[in-house]
Each structure stands twice: as C-alpha cells, then as structure tokens.
Amino acid sequence: MTDPSWLLDAATFTGRHAVPLYFALLALVLGTAWLGSRWLLPDRGGPAAAPEPLAPAALLIRLAAGFLFIVGGAMLFAEIAEELHTERTLGLMDEAFITAMIDHVPDVVVHAFYLLTFLGNRDTLIAIAIVVTLGLLWRKRRGLALGWLLAMIGNALLNPTLKQVFERARPVHPTHWLTEEGFSFPSGHSSGTVVVLGMLAYLAVRLLPRRWHVPAWVAAAGLAFSVGASRVFLRVHFPSDVLAGFASGAAWLAVAIASVELARWSHRRRRAARSG
C-alpha cells in the first residue's frame, strides 16, 4: 500500500489555505462554465429571443455532451464511494483538511458562508421548485413544468437514498453557528443546488433572450460551487461529501435536461409528421 503521509500533509496544507483555494477553484469553475456554455449553446447572435428547437445534428451534439456528464459524474461518484469503502486514505485526508481549517479561516468568512448555505437548504429549494412550477404553468409551459418537477423529485429521492446506503457520519467538530443531523455522504446541499440552479439555467436558455443564456449558466455554476463549498467551511461535510454531491447532482441534471430535450425533439417530429 502506498504511504499516505504525503497525501495527509497535502490535505493539511490545503486546509490551512482553504480561503485562497476556494477563490482559485471558483475562478476555474466560472471560466469553465463560460467556455462550455459558449461552445454548447446556440449562436448568441441575431434577434433577442429564445432559441427554436434544435436541429437533429445540434441536438445530437448536446445529448453527447450530456451523456459525457452522466458518465463522468457517475464514474467520479463511484470512485469516491469505492475509495471510502475500501481504503482509509480519503477519509483521513478529509479529516486532516477539516482539522487544518479550524484555526486558519477567519470568522467573517465562516459567517459569510453561513448566510450563503441557506440557498441550498431543503425549504429554500422546495420554495423555488413550487414558485417555478407555478410560473411555468401560468405561462402554459406544461412540458417544461413537468420536466422541472421530475428533475426536482428525482434528486429529492436520489440523495437521501444514497445517504442511507453509505451511512457516513458527519465531521465531529462543526461550527458554533450550525449543526446538522443525519448522514454525510453525499452532500444534499451540493447535489440539490446543482440540479435546481442548473435547471434554472436551462429554463433561462429556453425562455429568456439569448444575451442571458451564458450569464445564467455561469451564475448557476458559481453559486452551486459556492453553496457546496459553504458546507465544508461550516464543517458539516467533508470535502469528498461535497465532491460526490456535485457528481451525483451533475449526473442527474444531465439526465433531466437530456430527457426534456428528447421529449421536445420527439414532439416536434410528431407535429411535423401530422402537418406533412
């Protein structure tokens, strides 16, 4: 077995520098989201209107990208789960990172993340889900409302199921401002915000003028990452919990968006066949 001491030293070092590490990773996430959305989304030129249904070739490209997200997210989640189940190294690294953070993160930063973490609370996500559903129904977008609801319900069932399967205990030294009960792996805040904010960005592409499409995806990625990071800074989740939550949430988000796009394409083909 490989000597894990250097990995534990690396985890301790990064824990002591958690704040600059967060900003560096946030910049990477925002940049990746900007580049990825510009590549995947339709041309932003032309009239300021929501895009028409994608042509088969364009749809295939986006479905392929979604498939890669599904496979990549599932593989990442499986790798983390396997490592936690068969080896102690990742768990020791998690513990070293959290312990090193305690005396190296200013209280003002922890308070800021305490406020931010409420965006991923269950009640907040439920309220967003209800408001968006009612708004879509009011605009007579029943197909989008159904896709939105299925995405929300699916993740709401998936994450608690995974928690019960792995039964991982939470960190033993949370902040004074927040304590959490229940199992730790994967992070529900992380997966929930990825799905909710990702679906909101998808709805922005479907319903808002083109100039809002890329900013919506960039904002969704940055907020989801920050909410996940808040769970580590508040010491109610280990870093691997959050990473696994991102992975499961991204995989389910890709499934949800691909399903809606396939249903949309199928409906368009049936309508064209009837009119032809």
Side-chain angles (χ1 to χ4, degrees), residues 222-238:
L223 277 175
F225 173 76
S226 296
V227 170
S230 75
R231 309 306 286 170
V232 180
F233 278 97
L234 293 170
R235 305 194 295 272
V236 293
H237 276 293
F238 294 109

Side-chain angles (χ1 to χ4, degrees), residues 11-262:
T12 299
F13 177 83
T14 53
R16 289 172 180 168
H17 300 84
V19 176
L21 176 64
Y22 160 74
F23 284 109
L25 291 176
L26 177 62
L28 178 62
V29 168
L30 294 176
T32 303
W34 183 79
L35 290 173
S37 57
R38 284 184 62 89
W39 176 64
L40 286 172
L41 294 178
D43 184 6
R44 297 171 65 212
E52 292 298 317
L54 296 172
L59 176 61
L60 183 61
I61 293 173
R62 285 156 180 79
L63 289 178
F67 178 77
L68 291 177
F69 267 101
I70 296 168
V71 173
M75 289 178 62
L76 177 59
F77 181 89
E79 183 65 26
I80 296 171
E82 178 67 17
E83 177 67 21
L84 289 174
H85 181 69
T86 60
E87 300 285 348
R88 296 185 60 222
T89 303
L90 183 56
L92 293 173
M93 291 174 62
D94 276 338
E95 184 65 31
F97 184 94
I98 292 289
T99 302
M101 284 178 54
I102 295 176
D103 295 324
H104 293 85
V105 177
D107 284 349
V108 64
V109 174
V110 179
H111 276 292
F113 279 113
Y114 176 74
L115 298 175
L116 181 61
T117 204
F118 284 100
L119 178 61
N121 282 5
R122 181 181 62 181
D123 291 345
T124 303
L125 298 182
I126 290 174
I128 293 173
I130 293 173
V131 169
V132 172
T133 301
L134 293 176
L136 290 172
L137 291 175
W138 179 71
R139 293 192 59 173
K140 295 182 171 32
R141 305 303 295 262
R142 295 181 180 85
L144 286 178
L146 178 60
W148 165 266
L149 274 178
L150 291 177
M152 301 301 106
I153 294 171
N155 189 70
L157 295 174
L158 176 63
N159 189 264
T161 301
L162 292 173
K163 285 181 181 289
Q164 292 298 320
V165 169
F166 293 100
E167 296 185 342
R168 188 187 193 189
R170 291 182 183 271
V172 296
H173 32 57
T175 61
H176 300 298
W177 306 295
L178 181 67
T179 56
E180 294 281 2
E181 298 179 350
F183 297 120
S184 185
F185 182 91
S187 165
H189 278 64
S190 302
S191 65
T193 51
V194 165
V195 173
V196 169
L197 295 177
M199 284 299 295
L200 284 175
Y202 171 71
L203 292 177
V205 172
R206 291 290 307 275
L207 301 173
L208 296 182
R210 289 192 178 110
R211 64 179 179 273
W212 296 106
H213 296 177
V214 171
W217 277 109
V218 172
L223 277 175
F225 173 76
S226 296
V227 170
S230 75
R231 309 306 286 170
V232 180
F233 278 97
L234 293 170
R235 305 194 295 272
V236 293
H237 276 293
F238 294 109
S240 61
D241 298 334
V242 171
L243 188 58
F246 287 153
S248 65
W252 181 248
L253 174 65
V255 170
I257 292 177
S259 299
V260 174
E261 284 296 305
L262 278 172

